Amino acid sequence: MIDRNTVKGIVVPIITPVDDNENIDDVRLRKIVNHVIENGVHGILAFGSNSEFYMFETDEMLHALDVIIEETAGRVPVYFGIGAIRTRKCVQIAQEAAKRDIALNPMFIKPTSEALYNHFKTIAESVSETAVLIYNNPGRSGYSVPLDIIVRLAHDVDNIVGIKDSSGDITFCSELIRQTQDVDFRVMTGKDTTVFPGLCVGAVGSVCSTANMYTKLVSSIYDHYVAGNIKESLAAQFRLNPIRLSQDAASFPAATKDMANLMGLDVGKSILPTEASTGTVLENMKAEMRKGGFLADS
């Protein structure tokens, strides 16, 4: 089982590069793996929301996971996103992956609190020797996993070791930390704009899509904070925020690949029906990238 103490820092939901036929491009995937590691991330999440997990078949994801693990070569922990709606399907994927899992609360349906508890518990118990993190993403699933359910899972299931909380609600995050500190539950924020605030209330890090492109900047928020350089950490967070917020007008998750391609990372197109940003949306993103020093003046 993964050491809880390795669940920390900046974890990047790595972009999934594809070719013109929307097949995963192994060569470019290896390139982005090395890019993020060499520029300071502390972990890689394969097939998070920004990795477009919902666009790929299970065999495609497991193949890409093998590529990522091979290329990472133990340099940073690797996590694997499980986003199926059906509990049985999640169990099947978890058992196939059986590396380092992060489970996503089921989208498009709204289970009762007890059903959510049973969903996560069932997945975790099916891979009892593998660390599992809950994924709370109310912006995408349409509801939040209730605080009391997360607290119960943290205390009841030994291998549920943490959570990626993308609620953006710092009060929720701080209460979650307070109510699970007795079991060393590892809370990571999932909004790129809340890395610093999360650290201030006891989070151990953050899962940030912008770490695909602005890897050194995003990683520095965490690195400065743990080194005691609080002003520098906050300055890095404030430098990131306008760039990240400029993505909100784009079609999700196109902005991540748009910005990566603008910076020469060559990750291919978003998977249809998601389309690349154009017009005012794209120009606004470019403007904030220029202000942040990440794009030359045209």
Side-chain angles (χ1 to χ4, degrees), residues 91-219:
V91 167
Q92 290 170 346
I93 296 172
Q95 291 176 336
E96 284 292 324
K99 297 290 189 286
R100 308 179 192 272
D101 297 341
I102 180 168
L104 170 62
N105 51 312
M107 295 184 180
F108 313 120
I109 57 174
K110 190 173 182 181
T112 64
S113 295
E114 198 63 24
L116 274 175
Y117 175 89
N118 292 331
H119 174 75
F120 285 116
K121 185 172 185 286
T122 300
I123 296 168
E125 289 180 343
S126 76
V127 286
S128 60
E129 298 302 313
T130 299
V132 173
L133 286 84
I134 298 166
Y135 186 3
N136 183 40
N137 193 340
R140 296 298 159 198
S141 63
Y143 60 92
S144 180
V145 181
L147 178 64
D148 65 305
I149 294 300
I150 301 168
V151 172
R152 280 177 60 196
L153 288 163
H155 287 88
D156 294 352
V157 186
D158 289 343
N159 64 316
I160 293 184
V161 302
I163 186 170
K164 175 193 173 186
D165 174 36
S166 294
S167 69
D169 184 337
I170 293 300
T171 299
F172 182 92
C173 179
S174 62
E175 274 301 291
L176 181 53
I177 293 165
R178 183 182 70 82
Q179 294 185 40
T180 59
Q181 58 187 327
D182 59 315
V183 290
D184 191 26
F185 193 65
R186 314 292 283 180
V187 176
M188 306 189 81
T189 61
K191 291 280 188 184
D192 300 42
T193 52
T194 63
V195 183
F196 180 85
L199 292 169
C200 289
V201 298
V204 297
S206 187
V207 181
C208 299
S209 62
T210 52
N212 280 286
M213 305 82 73
Y214 316 109
T215 318
K216 288 182 178 179
L217 173 62
V218 180
S219 297

Side-chain angles (χ1 to χ4, degrees), residues 53 56-62 80-97 101 103-104 106 119 122-123 126-127:
F53 74 85
F56 297 102
E57 300 299 329
T58 301
D59 61 338
E60 294 178 291
M61 293 193 291
L62 292 172
F80 183 68
I82 299 174
I85 298 172
R86 189 176 184 180
T87 301
R88 188 171 77 180
K89 182 69 171 178
C90 289
V91 167
Q92 290 170 346
I93 296 172
Q95 291 176 336
E96 284 292 324
D101 297 341
L104 170 62
H119 174 75
T122 300
I123 296 168
S126 76
V127 286

